[in-house]
């Protein structure tokens, strides 16, 4: 049996940071026994990770904690690139740092 809770989008919302935090706090009330997985859908612009997406991952970590990646499923849409192309670096320091962190952690 699965229970799915759709939360406010972190990228496409017109809510303030405080309002987003409040919405995600409501999420915790709806899942008092914890969660088994977090589905993160990321719409890529230009087909590969950019600094904006790295910022989004940082927000997810901030709201759910660093352990969120142990149960996260990340889906990239709006890209015709292969996974290798999506994960390739574009030389942006924040992207390079994120990719290095994920590769080292096995995430």
């Amino acid at each position: 049996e699965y229970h799915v809770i759709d939360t406010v989008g972190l990228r496409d919302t017109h809510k303030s940071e405080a309002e987003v935090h409040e919405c995600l706090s409501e999420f915790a009330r709806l899942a008092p026994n914890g969660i088994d997985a977090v589905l993160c859908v990321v719409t890529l612009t230009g087909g590969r990770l950019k600094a904006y997406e790295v910022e989004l991952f940082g927000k997810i970590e901030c709201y759910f904690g660093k352990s969120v990646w142990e149960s996260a499923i990340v889906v990239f849409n709006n890209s015709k690139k292969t996974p290798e192309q999506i994960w390739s670096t574009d030389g942006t320091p924040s992207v390079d740092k994120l990719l290095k962190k994920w590769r080292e952690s096995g995430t």
Side-chain angles (χ1 to χ4, degrees):
E1 184 174 312
Y2 297 96
H3 298 274
V4 177
I5 303 168
D6 189 13
T7 66
V8 62
L10 298 180
R11 182 176 184 169
D12 58 356
T13 184
H14 297 289
K15 296 183 182 296
S16 69
E17 289 287 325
E19 290 170 316
V20 170
H21 194 275
E22 186 176 319
C23 289
L24 292 176
S25 295
E26 177 67 10
F27 168 76
R29 186 189 66 75
L30 295 170
N33 297 324
I35 56 173
D36 294 314
V38 173
L39 176 64
C40 177
V41 180
V42 179
T43 301
L44 294 177
T45 54
R48 61 168 39 160
L49 286 174
K50 302 285 184 207
Y52 188 84
E53 285 81 19
V54 174
E55 179 184 326
L56 174 67
F57 293 131
K59 286 183 180 183
I60 291 169
E61 234 178 64
C62 177
Y63 289 125
F64 294 101
K66 291 184 185 242
S67 64
V68 69
W69 304 117
E70 295 170 11
S71 60
I73 301 165
V74 180
V75 176
F76 297 107
N77 67 2
N78 198 36
S79 177
K80 295 180 182 177
K81 306 274 186 187
T82 66
E84 292 79 17
Q85 291 170 318
I86 290 171
W87 290 107
S88 68
T89 181
D90 68 351
T92 305
S94 57
V95 174
D96 290 344
K97 184 177 177 181
L98 175 72
L99 294 177
K100 182 177 184 227
K101 174 182 166 183
W102 281 2
R103 286 181 182 130
E104 289 173 353
S105 71
T107 303

